[in-house]
Amino acid sequence: MKILLTGANGYIGQRLLPSLIEAGHDVVCLVRDPRRFELPESLRARVTVAQGDLLKPESLRELPTDIDVAYYLVHSMSGNDKDFFRSEQQSARHFAHYLDTTTARQLIYLSGIANDHDLSTHLRSRLGVEEELCKCKAAFTVLRASIIIGSGSASFEIIRDLVDKLPVMVTPRWLNSRCQPIGIRDVMYYLTTVLGNEACLNRSFDIGGPDVLTYREMLLKLAAVRGYRRYIVTVPVLTPRLSSWWLFLVTRTTFSLAQSLVESLRNDTVSDPRRSIAQVLPHQCMSYFAAVELAFQRIEQNEVVSSWSDALSSGVMPRNYMDHIQIPQFGLLTDRQTLRFTRPPQEVLQNVWSIGGERGWYKVDWLWRIRGIMDKVAGGVGLRRGRRSPTSLRAGDPLDFWRVLVADRKSGRLLLYAEMKLPGEAWLQFRILPNNDGSHTLEQLAAFRPYGLAGRLYWYSLVPFHFVIFKGMIENIVQYGESTSLPQLAAPAS
């Protein structure tokens, strides 16, 4: 079939796309900016990339109309739009109107379980989106899920952060709310199995794993997988806002995502047996324990396909950030370092590609950690977001408090754009350049475009640190792994 996939850049979309291709379907991926959508070579022949913004209905007029099925995997939960409820309804309404102009026979939507009373804004929004989508002419299939557990999922990463960092947790009452976690592998099974299934048309289903747990139990079970002993004290005095700040400062989540999560966690998200998908598609889902173990296996094997932080809404970047793919020629303050080397260039290139995350920043990592803490306190993404993979990078990847704009191994160029809170715009670029004598030169360029006097004062106040950081960084990048005499680099918490 010909399938339209929205949210192709997101955590679910990136995992669903290969499955659809393997099943023999042709897929049209709807993205806001094709420049930040990097397809593996193996998928390109069966994928068409279409540009459009669901908040701008005029941008949908050029989309194909000869599609058979559409997946709606879009949400604004972790974005910076304060009125995400209205934005989500508008996006769904615009998409439904577009779908009515096509030959689509089925619309598949991944939503959230909403069987409780007094629903949070986020869960009410999910239901509102469902209502808008169900108005279109195509038959709908809605899958409502609770917490999704998998390597890179927001829920898993938050729980993991809490367990890894806090031997004793003082938590709010929402930790006693119940949920029905489901493994990402089982979510993929349902998303692909309902495709074209006549028994699933014009129906909404609850999907969930075999375990109904409180969030407290989820934390303790993950601690058991890690071999940790953890203590949890529940108190009634933490307000939703304090709870949001607590999650934001301790975990790698953004404050907007923390707010949405905390508000939603007051609701039980347990499947209604009358709406269970098991009546139509019997399937043995993984237990919570098994899903957590599998997630850690994928992390240890460097096989994290996608991460919640891949989505643009995971940070504070403008939607058109790929417009910054070329460093401006004028109005910049720069620090340029070069170092000639004779070792194989691929070894140095791999050191560049491994920067950040667990490897660290090759020089005085404690200063980078302090900068990350400052950014987190100021409402930025902080340093703990880490990276999707310890050894590979692609355009659009988050990298601590940077975003990857260019990751071109063939030409030896890596370009990062700052996602931290700054009185200006910042780039960090690495290039490996060949020399006439067979050696190579690593060029490292830090560029900053200040916003007024505050931006200039910020840059010049850091110049003394730049001399230490940037000079030491390029030297250690070139030397790392060359000899055992190089001191072990401290890695930041991630």
Side-chain angles (χ1 to χ4, degrees):
M1 289 186 283
K2 187 171 183 178
I3 297 173
L4 179 69
L5 178 63
T6 68
N9 274 336
Y11 176 72
I12 300 293
Q14 289 188 65
R15 293 174 182 247
L16 181 60
L17 177 58
S19 297
L20 296 176
I21 298 301
E22 289 171 11
H25 304 297
D26 293 314
V27 182
V28 179
C29 292
L30 176 61
V31 296
R32 288 194 191 97
D33 191 340
R35 293 173 298 179
R36 61 174 296 264
F37 185 60
E38 188 170 318
L39 275 170
E41 188 69 36
S42 59
L43 301 182
R44 291 178 184 174
R46 302 296 297 272
V47 175
T48 302
V49 180
Q51 184 173 4
D53 187 335
L54 295 179
L55 288 173
K56 300 176 181 178
E58 66 276 7
S59 71
L60 308 181
R61 293 170 186 163
E62 301 301 319
L63 296 182
T65 58
D66 59 338
I67 60 173
D68 300 304
V69 178
Y71 281 92
Y72 194 83
L73 305 176
V74 177
H75 72 80
S76 307
M77 180 177 173
S78 57
N80 295 309
D81 187 349
K82 294 181 180 180
D83 191 10
F84 77 86
F85 185 96
R86 179 178 58 84
S87 296
E88 288 206 322
Q89 312 315 302
Q90 285 183 341
S91 293
R93 192 177 306 117
H94 296 160
F95 188 74
H97 290 164
Y98 151 71
L99 212 60
D100 283 344
T101 68
T102 73
T103 56
R105 302 188 301 272
Q106 184 183 20
L107 169 63
I108 301 171
Y109 169 50
L110 181 61
S111 184
I113 291 179
N115 300 323
D116 204 1
H117 302 290
D118 188 24
L119 294 175
S120 69
T121 303
H122 167 61
L123 291 177
R124 283 192 294 107
S125 178
R126 299 281 78 198
L127 282 180
V129 168
E130 183 177 330
E131 292 171 0
E132 292 290 343
L133 294 177
C134 291
K135 293 177 183 177
C136 69
K137 298 175 182 177
F140 65 85
T141 302
V142 178
L143 301 178
R144 298 175 175 175
S146 181
I147 299 292
I148 296 176
I149 302 298
S151 57
S153 77
S155 304
F156 171 77
E157 294 296 342
I158 289 172
I159 296 170
R160 175 191 176 192
D161 278 346
L162 292 172
V163 169
D164 283 354
K165 294 180 172 69
L166 299 176
V168 178
M169 292 176 241
V170 179
T171 63
R173 286 176 296 184
W174 52 253
L175 219 64
N176 294 320
S177 297
R178 299 182 307 143
C179 65
Q180 194 166 349
I182 183 171
I184 182 63
R185 179 177 292 186
D186 296 315
V187 174
M188 291 297 108
Y189 170 81
Y190 288 127
L191 282 172
T192 53
T193 308
V194 300
L195 177 62
N197 191 320
E198 294 289 337
C200 298
L201 299 182
N202 292 321
R203 296 190 63 177
S204 296
F205 299 100
D206 287 353
I207 60 175
D211 303 310
V212 175
L213 305 168
T214 65
Y215 293 100
R216 177 192 183 96
E217 290 170 332
M218 290 176 65
L219 287 167
L220 293 177
K221 283 181 178 290
L222 189 141
V225 172
R226 300 288 274 168
Y228 298 151
R229 186 184 296 273
R230 292 294 183 256
Y231 301 92
I232 300 175
V233 179
T234 303
V235 297
V237 294
L238 285 179
T239 65
R241 186 165 185 82
L242 283 175
S243 299
S244 301
W245 276 107
W246 178 73
L247 268 186
F248 171 65
L249 293 174
V250 173
T251 71
R252 68 192 73 188
T253 186
T254 62
F255 184 70
S256 56
L257 178 56
Q259 276 186 310
S260 296
L261 284 173
V262 166
E263 188 190 7
S264 297
L265 292 178
R266 74 168 190 255
N267 292 123
D268 289 340
T269 52
V270 179
S271 298
D272 185 337
R274 296 169 297 180
R275 198 181 285 114
S276 174
I277 198 170
Q279 301 171 6
V280 177
L281 297 175
H283 171 66
Q284 183 60 50
C285 291
M286 288 187 295
S287 68
Y288 171 70
F289 196 87
V292 167
E293 284 192 317
L294 182 60
F296 279 115
Q297 287 176 19
R298 292 289 180 262
I299 293 169
E300 291 167 1
Q301 297 164 0
N302 297 330
E303 294 180 354
V304 180
V305 178
S306 62
S307 169
W308 71 274
S309 56
D310 293 340
L312 195 57
S313 57
S314 68
V316 295
M317 295 286 284
R319 298 195 187 281
N320 62 337
Y321 76 94
M322 288 299 286
D323 292 345
H324 300 85
I325 200 166
Q326 295 296 334
I327 301 177
Q329 296 183 355
F330 306 103
L332 291 181
L333 301 171
T334 62
D335 183 292
R336 182 176 181 269
Q337 304 280 340
T338 60
L339 187 61
R340 178 181 171 276
F341 62 91
T342 57
R343 66 183 300 192
Q346 288 302 320
E347 294 181 2
V348 176
L349 187 66
Q350 187 55 54
N351 288 342
V352 172
W353 247 245
S354 302
I355 199 168
E358 296 296 333
R359 175 70 65 88
W361 290 85
Y362 292 101
K363 186 66 177 179
V364 287
D365 273 334
W366 60 273
L367 281 177
W368 289 92
R369 288 197 293 271
I370 290 174
R371 183 64 182 87
I373 293 171
M374 293 169 60
D375 189 57
K376 195 80 169 175
V377 171
V381 296
L383 197 67
R384 288 196 303 269
R385 191 171 55 173
R387 45 183 292 161
R388 176 185 55 84
S389 165
T391 56
S392 68
L393 290 173
R394 62 192 182 199
D397 271 358
L399 202 169
D400 290 339
F401 43 46
W402 302 85
R403 183 74 65 163
V404 179
L405 295 185
V406 177
D408 188 347
R409 291 191 71 117
K410 187 174 181 180
S411 66
R413 181 183 179 220
L414 177 66
L415 177 62
L416 310 177
Y417 184 75
E419 201 167 354
M420 66 191 86
K421 294 282 189 179
L422 288 171
E425 297 172 304
W427 293 260
L428 182 59
Q429 177 176 265
F430 300 92
R431 291 195 303 167
I432 292 183
L433 308 171
N435 299 321
N436 293 332
D437 60 358
S439 64
H440 291 78
T441 294
L442 175 62
E443 178 193 68
Q444 174 185 285
L445 176 67
F448 182 70
R449 179 159 60 183
Y451 293 159
L453 179 60
R456 293 183 177 276
L457 290 175
Y458 171 83
W459 174 267
Y460 288 117
S461 68
L462 294 177
V463 166
F465 299 101
H466 288 171
F467 179 78
V468 176
I469 294 174
F470 291 134
K471 187 174 186 301
M473 181 189 297
I474 192 171
E475 291 175 349
N476 283 344
I477 288 174
V478 169
Q479 298 171 21
Y480 187 87
E482 191 172 29
S483 69
T484 56
S485 61
L486 188 66
Q488 181 64 40
L489 299 175
S494 64

